């Protein structure tokens, strides 16, 4: 969960999000160094009257400002491609959950079970219990086992939606007639909140997502109680 006046990203819950946060810090440091160098050059040019006419036609300088940006782009591109392939890789998922977007709620189907389906609506403000979060709580949470690879199949029945969980680094579009997939694996138990991240109509702001990650034994007890 984010907290008031938060400047950084949410705490990582999945290995993918940890990699994304490391890449964010890596890229931010490169941008900071480049910005500092440009600021120093601009300030030095404005504060001194000394000029070097020989640098206006120097092949060494032209070589440096051509090769150096190329090397910096490679330093950014290689870890970015690595994480991109990691996000698309799905190896033998332990559980598959189908998510369908509607105006304006989500429905979930656990495809490994026969009749384990439910709809998930936002709880109105007037019906919230003490301690529950406004515009983020739902009547039926998505309960999943932790420390296990889970495949999410995401689509829509009406308009474009987007299924997003920031703390897990997940954001997948729900498109009518198209089945997208995403992989999630939580390294710790807890409640993790998200919302629809694609403007889908007048009640777009009222489509929260709540994942409840629990140990495998608790997940088996929960699924048995619903069947």
């Amino acid at each position: 969960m984010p907290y008031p006046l938060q400047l950084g990203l949410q705490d990582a819950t999945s290995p993918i999000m940890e990699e994304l946060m490391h890449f964010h810090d890596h890229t931010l440091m490169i941008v900071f160094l480049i910005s500092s160098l440009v600021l120093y050059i601009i300030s030095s040019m404005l504060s001194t009257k000394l000029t070097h006419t020989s640098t206006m036609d120097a092949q060494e300088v032209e070589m440096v400002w051509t090769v150096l940006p190329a090397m910096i782009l490679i330093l950014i591109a290689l870890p970015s491609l690595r994480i991109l392939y990691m996000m698309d890789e799905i190896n033998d998922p332990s559980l598959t959950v189908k998510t369908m977007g509607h105006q304006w709620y989500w429905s979930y189907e656990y495809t490994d079970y026969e009749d384990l389906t439910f709809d998930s609506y936002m709880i109105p403000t007037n019906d919230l219990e003490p301690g529950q979060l406004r515009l983020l709580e739902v009547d039926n949470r998505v309960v999943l086992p932790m420390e296990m690879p889970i495949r999410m199949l995401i689509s829509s029945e009406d308009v474009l939606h987007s299924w997003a969980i920031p703390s897990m680094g997940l954001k997948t579009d729900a498109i009518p007639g198209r089945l997208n997939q995403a992989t999630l694996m939580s390294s710790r138990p807890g409640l993790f909140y998200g919302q629809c991240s694609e403007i889908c109509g007048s009640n777009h702001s009222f489509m929260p997502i709540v994942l409840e990650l629990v140990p495998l034994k608790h997940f088996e007890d929960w699924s048995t109680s619903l069947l």
Side-chain angles (χ1 to χ4, degrees), residues 106 108 118-123 128 132-133 135-142 193-194 206-211:
W106 298 98
Y108 299 94
F118 55 84
D119 297 330
S120 181
Y121 290 86
M122 186 194 74
I123 298 178
L128 290 175
Q132 290 185 329
L133 302 173
L135 301 182
L136 287 177
E137 296 291 347
V138 297
D139 55 356
N140 291 310
R141 296 171 176 169
V142 182
Y193 294 86
F206 309 107
M207 289 184 63
I209 304 162
V210 182
L211 299 187

Side-chain angles (χ1 to χ4, degrees), residues 88-161:
D88 287 338
E89 187 176 359
I90 298 179
N91 291 326
D92 192 20
S94 303
L95 182 67
T96 299
V97 180
K98 183 179 178 182
T99 304
M100 296 295 293
H102 308 265
Q103 288 182 314
W104 287 272
Y105 65 96
W106 298 98
S107 61
Y108 299 94
E109 176 184 353
Y110 290 70
T111 60
D112 298 289
Y113 298 83
E114 289 188 2
D115 293 316
L116 187 50
T117 61
F118 55 84
D119 297 330
S120 181
Y121 290 86
M122 186 194 74
I123 298 178
T125 303
N126 296 332
D127 298 334
L128 290 175
E129 299 291 336
Q132 290 185 329
L133 302 173
R134 177 177 172 270
L135 301 182
L136 287 177
E137 296 291 347
V138 297
D139 55 356
N140 291 310
R141 296 171 176 169
V142 182
V143 181
L144 298 172
M146 57 176 287
E147 297 180 338
M148 297 178 65
I150 300 169
R151 176 173 57 189
M152 302 295 299
L153 301 177
I154 302 166
S155 186
S156 172
E157 287 197 356
D158 37 49
V159 298
L160 290 176
H161 301 280

Side-chain angles (χ1 to χ4, degrees), residues 14-81:
S14 64
I16 293 296
M17 188 58 187
E18 292 178 1
E19 294 287 341
L20 289 172
M21 293 181 68
H22 293 158
F23 176 69
H24 169 269
D25 297 339
H26 166 74
T27 308
L28 191 63
M29 182 56 65
I30 294 176
V31 172
F32 175 75
L33 293 176
I34 294 174
S35 302
S36 301
L37 178 61
V38 172
L39 181 61
Y40 168 74
I41 294 175
I42 293 176
S43 60
S44 63
M45 291 178 63
L46 295 176
S47 60
T48 181
K49 296 181 180 179
L50 299 177
T51 58
H52 298 275
T53 57
S54 61
T55 60
M56 302 301 292
D57 189 25
Q59 294 183 358
E60 293 81 3
V61 176
E62 293 181 0
M63 182 67 69
V64 169
W65 71 40
T66 301
V67 174
L68 189 59
M71 295 177 60
I72 293 174
L73 290 176
I74 292 174
L75 289 176
I76 295 175
L78 291 180
S80 175
L81 291 173

